[in-house]
């Protein structure tokens, strides 16, 4: 259950109450196993904890934890793919990584990127508890990865990759919550066609997005260059005799 909840906005911890007797007394642990739920937000006190009396399978615990996350109203942050350390989030048995490549920022805008990210957040809520890791990146920032995933048809582009099985699949549909959800459903049911990875892609470290629009690139000219151009124009206008 703890593994399934990684990156989902909540934490599952384990305490040996036979050793931490003071903590067990503080939280009024009466029997074992005992599960306490803390709501999202700031600092917590023992009075904030509530007793969990639901099912004890990992599916039951994950479902209850994710329900608490949704009730807190704190949106899940979809991480940016910013280098080799991001690729490690796609590792693991039966782990599927969904990668969404946005148009380069200088061809788009911060507002548009936030719309794209919002769609991914909505999709992530539908697949809570599934073995999916969702990440986004700026198009053209990882050229070798994008080549391996066949991102050659423009942005935004979406693909799913399984490093464990060495396969990937590309979504050939419009970028929308519905399309991505159907794509992931096809992955989980085995209906989505996959392709073997041609090679392990080379991942480069990139500068994380600062949340702003791209800065306009201003060309710099020296005074000497400007004066030289003026002199050339003046000379072109002169006529002489041989």
């Amino acid at each position: 259950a703890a593994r399934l909840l990684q990156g989902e906005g909540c934490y599952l911890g384990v305490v040996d109450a036979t050793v931490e007797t003071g903590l067990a007394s503080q939280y009024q642990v009466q029997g074992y196993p005992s599960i306490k739920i803390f709501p999202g937000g700031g600092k917590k006190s023992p009075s904030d904890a509530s007793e969990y009396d639901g099912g004890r399978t990992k599916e039951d615990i994950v479902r209850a934890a994710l329900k608490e996350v949704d009730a807190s109203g704190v949106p899940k942050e979809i991480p940016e793919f910013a280098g080799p350390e991001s690729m490690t989030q796609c590792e693991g048995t039966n782990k599927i990584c969904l990668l969404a490549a946005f148009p380069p920022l200088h061809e788009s805008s911060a507002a548009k990127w936030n719309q794209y990210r919002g769609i991914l957040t909505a999709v992530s809520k539908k697949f809570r508890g599934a073995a999916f890791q969702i990440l986004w990146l700026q198009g053209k920032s990882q050229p070798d990865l994008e080549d391996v995933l066949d991102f050659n048809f423009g942005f935004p582009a979406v693909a799913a990759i399984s490093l464990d099985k060495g396969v990937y699949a590309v979504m050939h549909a419009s970028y929308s919550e519905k399309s991505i959800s159907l794509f992931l459903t096809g992955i989980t049911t085995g209906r989505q066609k996959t392709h073997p990875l041609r090679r392990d892609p080379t991942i480069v470290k990139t500068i994380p997005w600062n949340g702003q629009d791209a800065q306009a690139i201003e060309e710099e000219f020296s005074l000497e260059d400007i004066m030289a151009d003026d002199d050339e124009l003046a000379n072109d206008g002169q006529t002489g005799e041989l």
Side-chain angles (χ1 to χ4, degrees), residues 55-170:
R56 297 308 172 103
T57 67
K58 66 179 180 181
E59 291 81 10
D60 292 329
I61 294 173
V62 167
R63 192 178 302 111
L66 296 179
K67 182 179 179 180
E68 186 63 38
V69 171
D70 289 337
S72 70
V74 179
K76 177 185 176 182
E77 181 70 20
I78 304 298
E80 178 181 1
F81 191 103
E85 67 282 357
S86 298
M87 199 64 173
T88 62
Q89 298 183 52
C90 299
E91 298 174 351
T93 304
N94 296 324
K95 189 76 169 285
I96 298 173
C97 199
L98 182 81
L99 297 174
F102 301 162
L105 190 56
H106 65 273
E107 299 175 6
S108 185
S109 66
K112 198 65 179 177
W113 270 26
N114 283 326
Q115 289 180 19
Y116 295 144
R117 294 169 69 226
I119 289 174
L120 294 179
T121 298
V123 170
S124 71
K125 289 184 177 181
K126 292 183 177 180
F127 291 87
R128 284 281 179 84
F132 286 113
Q133 174 63 56
I134 303 178
L135 303 104
W136 64 271
L137 65 147
Q138 177 170 203
K140 300 181 181 180
S141 67
Q142 297 289 343
D144 196 49
L145 175 63
E146 294 166 38
D147 178 62
V148 169
L149 297 179
D150 294 328
F151 281 176
N152 51 16
F153 50 87
F155 303 103
V158 175
I161 180 173
S162 171
L163 297 179
D164 177 39
K165 297 180 179 179
V167 298
Y168 74 100
V170 180

Side-chain angles (χ1 to χ4, degrees), residues 168-184:
Y168 74 100
V170 180
M171 185 183 81
H172 295 285
S174 61
Y175 187 94
S176 67
E177 179 183 342
K178 181 179 180 181
S179 294
I180 299 174
S181 297
L182 289 173
F183 176 65
L184 288 181

